[in-house]
């Protein structure tokens, strides 16, 4: 109705402006904006306003009527009611959402509109002449706005909110803020004005009606997490400023009270009792103490301490981080015979204390009684280890020392002693099983081993078969030194003296070593042996510092007269009983230059000198043996070397194959076969006997090959005889060759190659004719060898030798 009234007002205003306008020619404003126009003519120029104009129409959203919703009427001053004017609508939704009556300009909405989907529409309208279609008015733009109605309820940003606040908080402590929105127009009326209220959660919480902030509504004494931890609050948001008829939206807020340290830990009981075996070692758990704390997390963490009692030094208590329990452990060895029980006082308190709720002295106390259980313990030695001393010359059976152990139990069982033979593999010591005395079984030598470490075992007689009831103790035995070794030269001295020297010249400084170790240190004395004093060429001077000098007694020595001198030196120690030895010093005479540098020494002396060690001699002997073995092996291999194969290559094919790599017996030493024997079947039996006869005998029945036929090489390297022979001859030769091939194939000692020769074929490529004796006459008549000179320069020397007359060699 309000929209129609506005349209009527606009229409009346346009008619009023038309009445004020003068008749005549004019220029109207475009798009609803007035502008002045100059009018030339007889009439006075005046400003003319448009006959119809509008800015916007208003339409209520969510129309529920069955007819089209009337919006307003468009009226033009060009419309004189004669039916010649046509109204045309365009723009957003024209023709579908909005329609106009083209005859009278009535504007309608065809369906229900929602302002939350689209708040306004921009349309354009104009009028045209129905007959000509010409525009009578410029196109004018206008707006159709939707009036909002309260058709949307408030919506919260979350369906469920989660908040927390510390327990024992003051009244009015902020917890969380909730926010709701309304899709209605906040600029029009109060449809989008929201008010918050709490519908569930009284009396613990409240909500600010304007901001939606939830706060605590009770004091610290009422908001205790240990009494109640979780709360569920329902918040409502109502539009229309909370007035009656407004729409409402709700949300759920889950609020949790967080813990504060407002409760001290408490023991579950005041007295605890435990028992522990006396054999428990340090760190062995005795028991667990449990205390409770109503707080959670870090506020429930606690620690335990022992504050008093006779077991403060014997036990310790710690906190298990996972279970928050107190764990009592043994800190020192227990002894039931000394003290069978202990009592301690323990306390528990939080690791972190909140001074707002709990004082620093918030602790709890409890009493712990620990009983020690008696166990059957192994014998106990009175010392952790024993140190014994004995002289190295002590006789077998002499006591070295003793050990002592006792049963710590009240029974006081007898103890048996023994030596762990794994620590005395040589069985040098033994022990008395009753009193623990250690004595010798064998003689000792300090220079061989100065210390002996053994282990003694103590076992109760009633538990001899139980190794767990045994105790071990280490015994360290030190051998005391006696002077039983004579001193000797510290090293092997190699001493030289020049042929020309001075009397009293020092040629060597010697020192000594002694295997003994006197407590006051070594003191050695050197002197020349008495047997060589009157005829010695050298003398010994003791330096007093455990060294001595070897001096010459004359000015010249002759290497040719005597090249080596032996100087006996007596070395004596200063301990008791005194020990001495005689060491022989070898002095070689050498030729020296003017500066005293050695130029030449006697070779005999060099060979007899101790400088060549036994190892060097053994090495030389081994080298000689190895060389001898190599020579013997080489000789044996040379003797066993086999003869070269008959055929060196495929091209080297001949009738009679003779080895020329040795200096044999000439033609009588040939190993070739007679091809004539192979041509006769009846000669097969005589072939075996021919091996025992001379091979140089030529058969009388020799067959000759025709000169125009030559044997051709067969497949697989097998060269067959000429095919001009009869089939019988070919069969005989073939049978012989096959038999020999079979024998060689089956012979394990045959050479690792095939040796096959053909007979009666000299090969190809030679300018000379056949040299075979198979086709020659059996007589040894004179022959002419002058034709050899025609074969070329290679046979010229042979022609000279064989073509010469016998008189040339006479």
């Amino acid at each position: 109705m309000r929209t129609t009234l506005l349209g009527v007002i606009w229409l009346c205003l346009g008619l009023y402006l038309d009445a004020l306008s003068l008749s005549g020619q004019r220029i109207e404003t475009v798009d609803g904006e007035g502008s002045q126009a100059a009018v030339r003519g007889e009439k006075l120029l005046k400003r003319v306003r448009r006959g119809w104009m509008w800015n916007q129409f208003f339409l209520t959203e969510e129309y529920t009527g069955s007819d089209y919703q009337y919006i307003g009427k468009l009226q033009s001053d060009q419309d004189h009611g004669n039916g010649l004017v046509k109204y045309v609508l365009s723009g957003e939704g024209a023709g579908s959402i909005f329609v106009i009556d083209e005859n009278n300009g009535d504007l309608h909405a065809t369906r229900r509109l929602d302002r939350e989907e689209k708040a306004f529409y921009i349309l354009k309208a104009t009028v045209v002449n129905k007959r000509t279609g010409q525009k009578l008015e410029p196109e004018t733009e206008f707006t159709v706005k939707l009036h909002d109605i309260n058709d949307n309820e408030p919506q919260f940003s979350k369906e469920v909110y989660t908040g927390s606040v510390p327990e024992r908080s003051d009244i009015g402590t902020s917890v969380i803020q909730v926010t709701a929105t309304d899709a209605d127009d906040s600029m029009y009326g109060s449809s989008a004005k929201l008010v918050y209220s709490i519908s569930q959660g009284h009396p613990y919480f409240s909500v600010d009606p304007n901001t939606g902030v939830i706060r605590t509504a009770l004091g610290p004494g009422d908001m205790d997490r240990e009494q109640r931890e979780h709360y569920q609050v329902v918040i409502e948001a109502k539009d229309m400023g909370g007035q009656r008829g407004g729409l409402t939206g709700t949300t759920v807020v889950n609020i949790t009270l967080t813990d504060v340290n407002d409760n001290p830990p408490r023991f579950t009981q005041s007295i605890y009792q435990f028992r522990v075996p006396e054999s428990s070692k340090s760190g062995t758990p005795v028991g667990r103490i449990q205390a409770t704390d109503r707080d959670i997390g870090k506020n429930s963490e606690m620690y335990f301490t022992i504050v008093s009692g006779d077991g403060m030094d014997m036990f310790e208590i710690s906190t298990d981080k996972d279970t928050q329990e107190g764990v009592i452990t043994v800190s020192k060895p227990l002894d039931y015979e000394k003290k069978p029980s202990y009592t301690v006082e323990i306390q528990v308190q939080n690791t972190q204390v909140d001074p707002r709720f709990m004082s620093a002295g918030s602790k709890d106390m409890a009493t712990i009684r620990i009983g020690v259980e008696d166990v059957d313990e192994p014998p106990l030695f009175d010392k952790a280890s024993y140190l014994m001393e004995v002289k190295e010359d002590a006789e077998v059976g002499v006591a070295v020392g003793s050990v002592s152990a006792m049963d710590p139990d009240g029974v006081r069982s007898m103890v048996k002693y023994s030596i762990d033979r794994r620590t005395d593999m040589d069985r040098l010591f033994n022990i008395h099983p009753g009193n623990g005395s250690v004595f010798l079984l064998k003689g000792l030598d300090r220079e061989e081993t100065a210390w002996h470490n053994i282990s003694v075992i103590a076992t109760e007689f009633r538990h001899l078969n139980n190794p767990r009831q045994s105790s071990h103790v280490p015994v360290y035995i030190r051998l005391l030194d006696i002077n039983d070794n004579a001193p000797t030269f510290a090293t092997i001295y190699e001493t030289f003296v020049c042929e020309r020297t001075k009397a009293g010249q020092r040629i060597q400084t010697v020192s000594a070593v002694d295997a003994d170790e006197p407590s006051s240190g070594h003191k050695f004395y050197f002197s020349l042996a008495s047997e060589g004093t009157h005829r010695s060429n050298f003398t010994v001077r003791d330096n007093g510092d455990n060294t001595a000098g070897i001096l010459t007694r004359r000015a010249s020595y002759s290497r040719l007269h005597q090249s080596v001198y032996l100087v006996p030196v007596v070395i004596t120690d200063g301990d008791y009983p005194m020990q001495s030895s005689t060491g022989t010093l070898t002095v070689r005479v050498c030729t020296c230059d003017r500066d005293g540098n050695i130029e030449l020494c006697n070779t005999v002396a060099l060979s007899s000198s101790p400088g060549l060690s036994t190892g060097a001699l053994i090495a030389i002997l081994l080298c000689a043996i190895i060389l001898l073995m190599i020579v013997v092996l080489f000789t044996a291999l040379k003797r066993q070397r086999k003869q070269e194969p008959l055929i060196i290559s495929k091209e080297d094919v001949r009738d009679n194959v003779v080895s020329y790599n040795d200096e044999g017996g000439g033609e009588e030493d040939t190993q070739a076969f007679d091809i004539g024997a192979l041509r006769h079947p009846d000669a097969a039996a005589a072939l075996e006997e021919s091996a025992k006869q001379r091979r140089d005998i030529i058969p009388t029945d020799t067959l000759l090959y025709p000169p125009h036929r030559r044997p051709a090489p067969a497949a697989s390297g097998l060269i067959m005889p000429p095919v001009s022979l009869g089939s019988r001859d070919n069969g005989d030769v073939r049978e012989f060759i096959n038999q020999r091939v079979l024998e060689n194939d089956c012979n394990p000692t045959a050479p690792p190659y095939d040796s096959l020769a053909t007979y009666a074929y000299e090969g190809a490529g030679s300018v000379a004719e056949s040299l075979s004796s198979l086709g020659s006459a059996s007589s040894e008549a004179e022959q002419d060898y002058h034709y050899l000179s025609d074969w070329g320069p290679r046979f010229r020397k042979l022609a000279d030798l064989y073509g010469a007359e016998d008189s040339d060699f006479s």
Side-chain angles (χ1 to χ4, degrees):
M1 183 180 297
R2 287 184 293 180
T3 305
T4 305
L5 180 60
L6 290 174
V8 172
I9 294 174
W10 280 107
L11 183 57
C12 295
L13 182 59
L15 295 175
Y16 175 73
L17 293 175
D18 290 338
L20 295 178
S21 60
L22 297 176
S23 60
Q25 186 179 1
R26 62 184 179 180
I27 299 177
E28 296 181 349
T29 61
V30 181
D31 293 337
E33 295 183 358
S35 63
Q36 295 181 355
V39 180
R40 292 185 177 91
E42 298 178 354
K43 295 184 179 180
L44 182 64
L45 294 177
K46 290 186 178 181
R47 182 176 182 273
V48 179
R49 301 178 65 90
R50 285 189 52 178
W52 65 294
M53 63 178 295
W54 56 89
N55 290 328
Q56 59 186 357
F57 290 97
F58 293 93
L59 180 65
T60 303
E61 67 169 336
E62 301 295 343
Y63 172 72
T64 58
S66 59
D67 299 333
Y68 288 173
Q69 186 179 4
Y70 180 73
I71 299 176
K73 187 178 182 62
L74 303 182
Q75 184 67 38
S76 174
D77 57 354
Q78 298 297 325
D79 186 5
H80 300 292
N82 51 9
L84 297 178
V85 175
K86 177 182 178 181
Y87 294 87
V88 179
L89 184 67
S90 63
E92 295 178 341
S96 58
I97 300 176
F98 304 100
V99 295
I100 191 172
D101 190 333
E102 62 179 11
N103 296 319
N104 55 25
D106 290 337
L107 184 64
H108 292 82
T110 61
R111 64 188 183 194
R112 184 177 65 180
L113 301 178
D114 188 0
R115 190 201 65 84
E116 285 70 36
E117 293 182 1
K118 189 172 180 63
F120 61 91
Y121 297 85
I122 299 176
L123 300 172
K124 297 178 181 180
T126 185
V127 291
V128 297
N129 191 304
K130 288 183 179 182
R131 297 177 180 177
T132 63
Q134 183 179 3
K135 288 185 178 181
L136 302 178
E137 293 282 351
E139 190 176 60
T140 303
E141 183 179 276
F142 64 95
T143 302
V144 177
K145 289 187 176 181
L146 298 180
H147 269 304
D148 182 50
I149 63 174
N150 190 16
D151 58 342
N152 292 279
E153 63 183 16
Q155 297 289 333
F156 284 93
S157 58
K158 296 181 181 179
E159 293 183 1
V160 178
Y161 288 85
T162 301
S164 62
V165 63
E167 63 172 332
R168 297 187 179 276
S169 297
D170 295 333
I171 298 176
T173 301
S174 176
V175 180
I176 193 174
Q177 183 179 14
V178 296
T179 303
T181 58
D182 196 321
D184 294 328
D185 191 0
S186 60
M187 303 299 295
Y188 179 77
S190 58
S191 298
K193 185 178 182 181
L194 305 181
V195 175
Y196 299 94
S197 62
I198 184 169
S199 62
Q200 179 181 328
H202 292 292
Y204 305 100
F205 301 96
S206 63
V207 63
D208 188 300
N210 297 319
T211 61
V213 176
I214 301 174
R215 303 179 185 274
T216 58
L218 295 180
D222 298 321
M223 303 295 288
D224 189 0
R225 187 200 65 83
E226 288 71 33
Q227 297 294 330
R228 182 177 178 183
E229 184 177 2
H230 301 288
Y231 297 85
Q232 189 175 73
V233 180
V234 178
I235 303 297
E236 293 184 351
K238 191 174 184 180
D239 58 11
M240 299 296 293
Q243 298 178 6
R244 181 178 298 180
L247 302 178
T248 303
T250 60
T251 187
V252 176
V253 183
N254 294 323
I255 300 176
T256 301
L257 297 184
T258 58
D259 184 60
V260 297
N261 194 3
D262 57 343
N263 294 280
R266 292 287 184 264
F267 285 109
T268 56
Q269 58 192 68
S270 59
I271 298 177
Y272 296 86
Q273 292 185 354
F274 301 101
R275 299 191 66 82
V276 59
E278 64 173 334
S279 59
S280 300
K281 298 181 179 180
S282 178
T284 302
V286 177
R288 287 176 172 263
I289 307 299
Q290 188 175 12
T292 59
D293 193 331
R294 299 179 64 188
D295 297 322
I296 60 175
K298 292 185 177 181
N299 296 325
S300 65
E301 294 180 358
M302 61 189 78
Y303 68 96
F304 301 83
T305 54
I306 299 177
V307 294
S308 63
D310 55 2
M312 291 185 62
D313 297 334
M314 306 300 296
F315 303 94
E316 294 178 349
I317 189 169
S318 59
T319 304
D320 189 333
K321 300 300 182 182
D322 296 330
T323 62
Q324 294 298 312
E325 293 177 328
V327 181
I328 300 176
T329 56
V330 177
S331 62
K332 292 184 179 180
L334 303 175
D335 191 349
Y336 172 80
E337 288 72 25
K338 291 183 179 180
K339 191 171 180 59
S341 64
Y342 297 89
T343 301
V344 293
E345 297 288 334
I346 63 173
Q347 73 175 13
V348 62
Q349 61 185 12
N350 287 126
T351 56
Q352 298 179 359
V353 178
D354 193 338
R356 298 178 302 170
F357 311 106
M358 191 169 52
S359 63
S362 298
K363 307 172 184 177
D364 195 19
M365 305 289 293
T367 302
I368 299 178
R369 296 174 182 173
I370 303 174
V372 180
E373 295 179 349
D374 186 22
V375 296
D376 193 1
E377 302 174 85
L380 182 64
F381 286 94
D382 58 355
K383 294 181 180 179
S385 62
Y386 293 87
L387 174 62
M388 301 178 183
E389 295 180 346
V390 62
K391 290 186 177 181
E392 61 175 323
D393 63 343
E395 297 180 356
V396 175
V398 172
V400 179
S402 64
V403 298
S404 178
M406 61 175 295
D407 182 10
D409 300 322
V411 182
R412 303 300 184 192
S413 299
M414 297 296 294
V415 178
K416 178 183 177 182
Y417 301 94
S418 61
I419 293 179
D420 187 353
R421 289 305 174 187
R422 293 175 298 180
T423 61
D424 185 21
M425 303 294 292
D426 298 331
R427 303 184 69 87
L428 302 176
F429 304 94
N430 203 354
I431 189 170
H432 192 281
N435 58 22
S437 297
V438 180
F439 56 90
L440 295 179
L441 286 179
K442 295 181 181 179
L444 305 177
D445 186 3
R446 190 204 65 84
E447 285 70 37
E448 182 178 351
T449 305
W451 285 86
H452 295 275
N453 302 329
I454 63 175
S455 178
V456 176
I457 305 173
T459 309
E460 296 181 18
F461 274 95
R462 57 177 179 169
H463 297 299
L464 293 178
N465 296 326
N466 187 2
R468 295 184 178 180
Q469 295 298 323
S470 301
S471 299
H472 294 70
V473 66
V475 178
Y476 308 105
I477 302 174
R478 178 172 61 189
L479 301 186
L480 301 178
D481 183 44
I482 62 171
N483 192 24
D484 58 345
N485 291 277
T488 59
F489 279 129
T491 184
I492 298 176
Y493 293 99
E494 189 174 0
T495 307
F496 306 91
V497 63
C498 295
E499 289 182 311
R500 297 180 179 276
T501 184
K502 299 179 181 178
Q505 179 72 33
R506 186 178 65 180
I507 61 174
Q508 183 69 58
T509 299
V510 296
S511 61
V513 293
D514 195 338
D516 297 322
E517 292 184 0
S519 58
S520 59
H522 290 289
K523 180 63 179 176
F524 301 118
Y525 302 94
F526 301 87
S527 62
L528 192 64
S530 59
E531 63 271 14
T533 304
H534 62 282
R535 53 186 177 82
S536 176
N537 295 287
F538 303 91
T539 184
V540 178
R541 177 186 297 173
D542 194 328
N543 297 327
D545 57 354
N546 293 338
T547 63
I550 308 301
L551 309 177
T552 59
R553 298 188 66 177
R554 51 194 178 93
S556 64
Y557 297 87
S558 175
R559 183 172 60 85
L560 299 178
H561 179 265
Q562 185 175 353
S563 60
V564 177
Y565 293 89
L566 301 179
V567 181
V569 180
V570 178
I571 309 173
T572 306
D573 59 16
D575 203 359
Y576 180 83
M578 185 175 294
Q579 301 285 343
S580 64
S581 67
T582 301
T584 301
L585 188 68
T586 302
V587 181
R588 289 194 290 131
V589 180
C590 300
T591 302
C592 304
D593 56 12
R594 295 181 179 180
D595 298 329
N597 298 320
I598 298 175
E599 291 182 344
L600 180 63
C601 288
N602 195 303
T603 57
V604 177
L606 287 173
S607 62
S608 62
S609 65
L612 189 60
S613 63
T614 304
L617 294 176
I618 293 175
I620 294 174
L621 181 60
L622 289 176
C623 292
I625 293 174
I626 292 172
L627 291 175
L628 181 61
M629 292 177 62
I630 292 174
V631 172
V632 173
L633 181 61
F634 181 78
T635 305
L637 292 176
K638 187 173 182 180
R639 289 181 178 179
Q640 295 179 1
R641 181 179 298 173
K642 296 185 181 296
Q643 201 171 22
E644 293 183 4
L646 297 176
I647 299 179
I648 304 302
S649 64
K650 293 183 179 179
E651 297 181 358
D652 188 9
V653 181
R654 66 195 94 180
D655 293 332
N656 297 317
V657 180
V658 182
S659 176
Y660 296 98
N661 59 349
D662 56 11
E663 298 295 334
E667 294 182 356
E668 294 183 359
D669 196 25
T670 178
Q671 298 295 325
F673 290 99
D674 186 11
I675 192 64
L678 299 179
R679 301 298 183 182
H680 297 279
D682 52 357
L687 194 61
E688 299 293 334
E689 295 294 332
S690 64
K692 301 178 182 179
Q693 300 175 359
R694 293 181 55 181
R695 293 290 185 166
D696 58 331
I697 298 177
I698 302 175
T700 56
D701 190 11
T702 303
L703 299 180
L704 298 177
Y705 293 123
H708 62 278
R709 297 300 296 255
R710 295 182 180 271
S716 303
L718 180 63
I719 305 175
M720 301 301 295
V723 298
S724 61
L725 298 177
S727 60
R728 180 177 179 180
D729 293 338
N730 293 338
D732 295 338
V733 175
R734 186 182 304 106
E735 182 181 358
F736 172 78
I737 294 175
N738 291 336
Q739 181 179 358
R740 287 295 180 263
V741 171
L742 180 62
E743 290 176 0
N744 281 274
D745 290 340
C746 298
N747 185 9
T749 61
Y753 52 84
D754 292 331
S755 178
L756 182 62
T758 184
Y759 304 93
Y761 179 61
E762 287 295 333
S766 175
V767 297
E769 295 181 358
S770 175
L771 300 178
S772 175
S773 61
L774 298 179
S776 304
S778 60
S779 64
E780 296 183 359
E782 295 292 333
Q783 297 185 20
D784 187 8
Y785 294 100
H786 292 285
Y787 64 88
L788 295 176
S789 60
D790 300 333
W791 290 1
R794 294 184 179 182
F795 296 91
R796 188 171 300 163
K797 186 65 178 177
L798 188 62
D800 295 340
L801 292 176
Y802 284 89
E805 299 295 336
D806 294 340
S807 59
D808 296 340
F809 300 98
S810 60

